[in-house]
Amino acid sequence: MIRVLIVEDSPTLRMLLKTILESDPEIAVIGMAASGEEGVRQALALKPDLITMDVHLPGMDGFAATRRIMEERPTPIIIVSSSVDHHEVLTTFNAIQAGALEVLQKPTSINHPDFAALRERLLTTVKLMAEVKVIRHYRSPMTRRSAGELPRSGRAFSLLAIGASTGGPAALNAILKELPAEFPLPVLIVQHMTTGFTAGLVAWLQLESRLRVKIAEDGEVLRAGTVYVAPDDTHLMVTARGVVGLSKAPLVSHVRPSATVLFESVARIYGPDAIGVLLTGMGDDGAAGLRAMRERGAATIAQDETTSAVYGMPKAAVELGAAEQVLPLPQIPAAVLALVAGRPPSI
């Protein structure tokens, strides 16, 4: 039985979430809290298997509550949000950085046109995330290193491609904020994200990154120092050297956008002139694509188990022999900078 704590300030939505969760015989709601402070107290006292967390709460908001819980009793947390308001979106992704695993759209009414899909997504995610072994989160900054301290690779690279899923937003932020403004490559990112939240993710990543971060557009020309994020429910790829492509083709590894679609296109177009990075995530998306990149001579990196929120996608890549390097998250930015320090690439 999966024991769930609901943290939600609306009495109506608390009961709706409880009804949805307990409609599954494998889930039991053991507590409900109307504020962040109460949520923290119940998390410590009841020791739930998983917490659903609203972000807009009276007093202590969802970010602060998530941070306290992850410092004192690490527990899988799913952010359940109904708003794409700028402030609430930033709070949502701050909570992700603090250790929350996933963000879902809140089912606000049984009359919502997508209620059945939202209900199913919530139940499926709760079952999957309850099994994740989360780690304690401390407030310790990453140590910056300048490119001048890094070894020179002697290779030329033209593009950096990154794939991520569960736990990915925080990992992406950790990498992008370490890349200098003069980073000489375009960066393409596939992040599995609940529809409607990608624009918020981009805005949040831009807060700490010195690179330009934007949602990718079909046919646009790649520019160095710009980060291109796959749009909602759309595959991202390169269709020619230096040209973005978008597609509504069928799901790959049960997802769209797919990191494998991105990586395989990069392997075809760029061959050895690209770097591929596969980060934390549930499932196996990206593993086959990263292997295709390595087979074409690209440099490939997978995040290690210790620093992954969910060691699914990187593990699958390692098992396929797709990763040249398997690194803890704090070492990945330095490894990327080391690779590009050889000589200026051409897009």
Side-chain angles (χ1 to χ4, degrees), residues 8 17 50-56 62-63 66 76-107 117-118 120-126 128-129 132 164-170 172 191-202 204 232 282 309-310:
E8 164 62 57
L17 288 171
L50 181 138
I51 299 168
T52 67
M53 179 75 70
D54 189 15
V55 292
H56 183 68
F63 160 57
T66 296
I77 296 175
I78 299 171
I79 301 299
V80 185
S81 177
S82 60
S83 173
V84 292
D85 168 81
H86 180 72
H87 173 74
E88 188 161 326
V89 165
L90 294 183
T91 303
T92 295
F93 286 105
N94 284 335
I96 294 268
Q97 186 170 23
L101 293 173
E102 184 66 279
V103 54
L104 296 180
Q105 183 178 350
K106 185 184 299 181
L118 294 174
E120 186 61 30
R121 176 82 186 274
L122 176 61
L123 292 173
T124 299
T125 303
V126 165
L128 289 173
M129 298 306 167
V132 173
S165 187
T166 310
L172 290 169
Q191 166 66 53
H192 302 160
M193 181 59 56
T194 298
T195 297
F197 287 90
T198 300
L201 170 67
V202 167
W204 180 72
D232 286 336
M282 187 92 54
V310 182

Side-chain angles (χ1 to χ4, degrees), residues 8 17 34 44 55-56 94 99 110 139 143-144 165 174 192 194 204 222 232 234 249 252 257 286 300 315 346:
E8 164 62 57
L17 288 171
L44 299 180
V55 292
H56 183 68
N94 284 335
I110 60 173
R139 303 180 211 182
T143 301
R144 290 187 182 274
S165 187
H192 302 160
T194 298
W204 180 72
L222 293 173
D232 286 336
T234 305
V252 174
T300 57
K315 179 182 179 182
S346 58

